């Protein structure tokens, strides 16, 4: 899921526009969903307590790279 932080260019669109700031929650797993969880934005209690912190970025301007 994501939340648009900057005012949307087209409020009726379900997709953020280029350069809009969004926040997302994520969970990263090894070996698909049956493997081990190695990171999450939803916070952790173990091994090191960490408060929830969504990942924020500007859409379509090269801040996030995929492999």
């Amino acid at each position: 899921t994501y939340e648009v932080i900057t005012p949307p260019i087209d409020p009726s669109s379900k997709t953020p526009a280029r350069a809009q700031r969004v926040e997302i929650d994520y969970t990263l797993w090894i070996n698909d969903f049956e493997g081990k969880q190695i990171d999450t934005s939803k916070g952790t209690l173990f091994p090191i307590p960490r408060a929830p912190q969504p990942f924020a970025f500007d859409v379509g301007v090269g801040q996030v790279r995929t492999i």
Side-chain angles (χ1 to χ4, degrees), residues 5-39:
I5 303 303
T6 56
I9 294 168
D10 178 2
S12 65
S13 176
K14 294 183 179 185
T15 305
R18 180 181 165 92
Q20 279 189 296
R21 187 118 182 118
V22 298
E23 285 186 349
I24 63 167
D25 282 320
Y26 68 90
T27 302
L28 180 60
W29 299 84
I30 294 179
N31 297 328
D32 299 322
F33 293 106
E34 297 175 9
K36 181 179 177 184
Q37 178 182 321
I38 62 170
D39 193 20

Side-chain angles (χ1 to χ4, degrees), residues 1 16 22 34 36 38 40 47 50 53 55 60-61:
T1 62
V22 298
E34 297 175 9
K36 181 179 177 184
I38 62 170
T40 183
R50 187 175 71 179
Q53 183 176 359
F55 179 66
V61 294

